[in-house]
Amino acid sequence: MRAYIKERPLVFLVYCVVRLIVIVSLVAALLRYDYESAFTCVLVLFLFMIPLFLERSLAIQLPNTLEIIILLFIFAAEILGELQCYFIQYPNWDTMLHTTSGFLCAAVGFSLIDILNRDSKIKFNLSPVYVAIVAFCFSMTIGVLWEFFEFGADRLLGLDMQKDTVVQTITSVSLDETNQNKPVTITDIHSVQVNGQDLGFDGYLDIGLYDTMEDLFVNFIGALCFSCIGYFYLKQRGKGRFARQFIPVIKEEVDTVYVSEKTEPPEDRNG
């Protein structure tokens, strides 16, 4: 642990700060008997340990920037987003998180393929284009699976993870009185009633479709951005400093570089 703190002081500082905030939130939730929020805090504390667990179990090293973003992402999603209601107070909070997750998932997918690509035991060598495409598809798949999870939670548990959207225009073939599958558009919707009660919205209440498609679209943007960055990183074979901040590497490679730097002969100052 001392070696970890010495090598990565900034990561350790961020970890301690966010962990302390979560512990304080956990105590506050228990004092007011809010067990659901307390469970969320416990879950976050567990999620904070995943980067370190992955490094030790898979013998990889996460770049400092990637690990810090992962910690802040978990904190922003669960503590700020859920407990502090940032998802409601700031409409773009969810969009920011989905864009970030698309970027990070592409980085993870990219690193998985890149590690295999450089392994001498594996008998294939994929082109940079193929690796970038796989990273993009990996990120989009994770995004789709998450939307499945949100829909399942809303459907089975009665939650509202797929937030609703108020729209003033709808188009549907169900409104076609002739039953000829012709779309009918209603514009300038001012009010909607359910069971005779006005919902109080200045428009039609969409039930999650807009939110889902927006999440997938920003996930697409984040995945596409990193896939392009990863492509040029492979073309230049590791010269891109920005991409290296998000790509995990095998621990043996890091140790090899570290040892080579330590054992490099001193420069001959006498010429």
Side-chain angles (χ1 to χ4, degrees):
M1 180 59 69
R2 292 182 178 179
Y4 179 87
I5 297 174
K6 184 177 180 181
E7 293 177 3
R8 315 171 80 172
L10 183 57
V11 176
F12 182 74
L13 175 62
V14 173
Y15 176 79
C16 290
V17 171
V18 294
R19 187 177 179 86
L20 178 62
I21 296 175
V22 174
I23 292 175
V24 172
S25 300
L26 173 61
V27 174
L30 292 175
L31 291 177
R32 63 176 184 268
Y33 303 104
D34 186 358
Y35 297 113
E36 182 178 351
S37 296
F39 173 78
T40 301
C41 292
V42 173
L43 176 63
V44 170
L45 293 175
F46 170 76
L47 293 176
F48 281 164
M49 296 186 294
I50 289 181
L52 183 60
F53 171 78
L54 292 177
E55 286 187 329
R56 292 185 175 181
S57 60
L58 300 180
I60 62 174
Q61 178 167 322
L62 302 178
N64 292 348
T65 302
L66 177 62
E67 189 166 354
I68 290 175
I69 292 179
I70 291 175
L71 294 174
L72 294 179
F73 178 86
I74 297 171
F75 180 80
E78 298 299 329
I79 302 301
L80 297 181
E82 295 291 345
L83 300 189
Q84 299 300 320
C85 302
Y86 275 33
F87 288 129
I88 304 299
Q89 298 177 19
Y90 304 99
N92 293 325
W93 192 259
D94 186 56
T95 300
M96 176 195 69
L97 292 179
H98 277 279
T99 306
T100 304
S101 67
F103 188 91
L104 295 180
C105 287
V108 173
F110 180 91
S111 63
L112 292 175
I113 301 301
D114 187 46
I115 289 174
L116 293 177
N117 215 23
R118 289 182 291 164
D119 193 337
S120 59
K121 300 178 182 179
I122 306 298
K123 302 300 181 181
F124 62 82
N125 186 22
L126 303 179
S127 67
V129 174
Y130 191 90
V131 176
I133 292 176
V134 171
F136 173 81
C137 293
F138 177 85
S139 177
M140 291 303 301
T141 300
I142 297 299
V144 170
L145 292 177
W146 177 254
E147 294 303 320
F148 286 169
F149 171 77
E150 288 190 346
F151 176 79
D154 293 350
R155 186 75 172 179
L156 301 177
L157 303 178
L159 303 179
D160 187 23
M161 299 187 68
Q162 295 178 304
K163 299 298 185 290
D164 303 330
T165 304
V166 178
V167 295
Q168 279 72 43
T169 301
I170 61 173
T171 300
S172 174
V173 296
S174 298
L175 300 174
D176 180 21
E177 297 179 353
T178 63
N179 295 323
Q180 295 182 1
N181 201 35
K182 294 182 180 179
V184 176
T185 300
I186 299 179
T187 60
D188 198 23
I189 301 174
H190 292 294
S191 64
V192 174
Q193 290 186 346
V194 175
N195 295 332
Q197 180 180 358
D198 196 328
L199 296 180
F201 295 104
D202 188 19
Y204 171 75
L205 187 64
D206 167 73
I207 53 173
L209 175 61
Y210 279 72
D211 178 75
T212 297
M213 295 310 298
E214 181 181 1
D215 291 346
L216 291 177
F217 182 72
V218 296
N219 190 101
F220 167 86
I221 294 175
L224 182 63
C225 287
F226 188 86
S227 296
C228 293
I229 293 173
Y231 167 77
F232 290 107
Y233 171 81
L234 286 184
K235 289 289 289 185
Q236 300 175 0
R237 193 54 269 173
K239 294 183 179 180
R241 293 184 178 180
F242 180 79
R244 278 186 293 179
Q245 301 301 316
F246 301 93
I247 301 177
V249 294
I250 301 175
K251 191 67 169 62
E252 294 178 356
E253 296 180 359
V254 178
D255 295 338
T256 300
V257 173
Y258 179 78
V259 171
S260 64
E261 291 178 351
K262 289 294 185 180
T263 57
E264 186 176 352
E267 182 180 351
D268 187 0
R269 297 183 180 181
N270 296 327

